[in-house]
Amino acid sequence: MVNALGQRVRISQPKLPTTVWTVTALDEGKSWEWTATGPLARTVATHTVTPDGDGCRATNAIDQSGPLGVLIGKLAAGLTDRYLVMEAEGLKARAESAAR
């Protein structure tokens, strides 16, 4: 669980190297951002929750920069998109089960 600026989390995903992410922005209950850096690459992932009618909407976004980050972003775009969808589906399932 992300709950503090500067918190570091090690994440392993299939087909990607294990990466350490650092929480770089946090607005409790509304949004958080974390960053992973490597040689010539920087990835920033933003997660936002906004009110939407009787519920809420969660939005995830990835920004990759640096010479290697841009190249990796283009080469892994399909995989990244699939992982973002899986993350959103998991968040939705957890939120709906907690609401019951």
Side-chain angles (χ1 to χ4, degrees), residues 21-93:
W21 293 83
T22 302
V23 178
T24 53
L26 178 62
D27 186 355
E28 192 76 31
K30 295 181 182 179
S31 67
W32 56 279
E33 175 182 285
W34 56 8
T35 303
T37 57
L40 304 175
R42 176 181 173 92
T43 303
V44 178
T46 305
H47 303 73
T48 306
V49 178
T50 54
D52 186 17
D54 291 339
C56 62
R57 177 176 302 275
T59 305
N60 301 334
I62 295 277
D63 180 55
Q64 293 172 303
S65 60
L68 192 54
V70 171
L71 177 62
I72 291 170
K74 289 180 181 181
L75 293 174
L79 180 63
T80 300
D81 289 345
R82 286 192 299 278
Y83 284 169
L84 285 171
V85 168
M86 288 171 52
E87 182 180 345
E89 289 172 348
L91 176 60
K92 180 179 183 202

